[in-house]
Amino acid sequence: MKTSMEGWGSGLLGVVIFSGSLPATRVAVSDFSPLFLTSARAVIAALLGAALLFALRQPRPRPDDLLSLALVALGVVIGFPLLTAVALQYITSAHSIVFVGLLPLATAIFGVLLGGERPRPLFWLFSGLGSATVVGFALTFGGEVSVTGDFLMIAAIIVCGLGYAEGAKLSRTWGGWQVISWALVLSLPPMAIVALITLPDTWQGIAGPSWIGLGYVSVFSMLIGFVFWYRGLALGGIAGVGQLQLLQPFFGLLLAASLLHEQVSVMMVVTALSVVACVVGARKFAR
């Protein structure tokens, strides 16, 4: 029970950190291209992760772990950041945040496929209900609807769920910060090349908020948040703790309204609160 509670507490802290990712990305893409933002955040986080690994003399990954690390990198280092950055050129961060409500279901599915977890049937009922609520909102009350933006967000959710589940599986033996750090180091060479190719033509005119957004997604979204998130998934279970992501739209909508002054409709709030309510039921039947 203590281990489970520690997992849920660590996972919740990770969700709070991640909730600022989409608003920060929305700010940053106003001055940086999606490709540069994705690669730059990975390079910055990889250098920090490499420094930690070297300073603490962590052992290198085994050859049979490289494929798993590649899946983590593909999902959370490259896929999700790039797809969301492009999507946010078509939709607002408030609209994109609601799609995060689909992440628990995606994470749970990959947790079953990759992590060997077996939640009870009622877990799928609550998880599916929360996801269906999000999809219903996106189709009917989404505000600034864009087929392209919505499609990109759905693709981002799928690859992110894969990266979460695979990373959580590795974290059971490695530890959360080691997994994300090695995944970042693995992705460093290609991301560094992309960053150099997509450098802005000029640094003049890039606003301060864009630099802050880049800094946030590089340090907090790409590294620190995963330290707590992977630890939470490893201790509390991928499917169960993954349901905490249903809280992320609520935190994110608050940030979008307070920091970006984006309009948050009543239906957005109702949707967020509805999916949050599904956490209670899903948690009860996660194991």
Side-chain angles (χ1 to χ4, degrees):
M1 178 64 70
K2 181 180 179 181
T3 299
S4 178
M5 291 304 297
E6 288 180 356
W8 280 80
S10 183
L12 180 60
L13 185 53
V15 167
V16 172
I17 294 173
F18 288 152
S19 66
S21 299
L22 291 176
T25 299
R26 174 71 172 180
V27 171
V29 294
S30 61
D31 287 316
F32 298 115
S33 71
L35 272 176
F36 175 76
L37 179 62
T38 301
S39 55
R41 67 187 280 181
V43 169
I44 294 170
L47 293 175
L48 293 174
L52 284 173
L53 292 169
F54 178 78
L56 298 178
R57 299 181 179 179
Q58 295 298 301
R60 294 181 180 180
R62 300 187 305 269
D64 54 350
D65 287 329
L66 292 179
L67 178 58
S68 292
L69 282 174
L71 290 176
V72 174
L74 178 64
V76 304
V77 177
I78 301 172
F80 184 78
L82 178 59
L83 290 168
T84 53
V86 177
L88 286 168
Q89 294 187 321
Y90 297 92
I91 57 179
T92 66
S93 65
H95 181 70
S96 68
I97 284 167
V98 181
F99 281 88
V100 177
L102 293 170
L103 257 178
L105 184 58
T107 304
I109 291 173
F110 283 113
V112 169
L113 295 176
L114 303 176
E117 297 192 354
R118 295 293 182 268
R120 285 181 277 177
L122 284 177
F123 165 84
W124 296 109
L125 174 64
F126 283 106
S127 183
L129 181 61
S131 298
T133 303
V134 172
V135 172
F137 168 81
L139 293 176
T140 56
F141 300 104
E144 186 182 326
V145 176
S146 165
V147 174
T148 301
D150 290 354
F151 175 80
L152 289 168
M153 284 303 305
I154 291 174
I157 294 306
I158 293 173
V159 298
C160 190
L162 170 63
Y164 280 172
E166 192 66 30
K169 186 175 68 172
L170 288 174
S171 296
R172 292 169 181 168
T173 54
W174 283 19
W177 75 268
Q178 291 95 329
V179 170
I180 188 59
S181 294
W182 281 119
L184 286 164
V185 170
L186 185 65
S187 65
L188 179 58
M191 288 294 95
I193 293 173
V194 174
L196 290 174
I197 294 174
T198 59
L199 280 172
D201 295 331
T202 177
W203 300 102
Q204 296 180 354
I206 297 177
S210 295
W211 286 111
I212 295 174
L214 173 59
Y216 187 91
V217 297
S218 301
V219 178
F220 291 93
S221 304
M222 198 78 271
L223 184 60
I224 296 178
F226 280 102
V227 173
F228 297 102
W229 182 240
Y230 278 149
R231 180 175 183 271
L233 291 176
L235 291 178
I238 298 171
V241 174
Q243 298 306 299
L244 285 171
Q245 294 164 110
L246 289 172
L247 297 170
Q248 192 168 330
F250 180 72
F251 294 130
L253 289 174
L254 291 177
L255 288 173
S258 60
L259 299 180
L260 305 182
H261 307 293
E262 291 185 358
Q263 182 179 0
V264 177
S265 68
V266 174
M267 286 309 304
M268 284 183 181
V269 176
V270 171
T271 299
L273 293 177
S274 297
V275 295
V276 164
C278 294
V279 172
V280 178
R283 181 183 185 277
K284 183 177 180 180
F285 299 102
R287 291 184 173 181

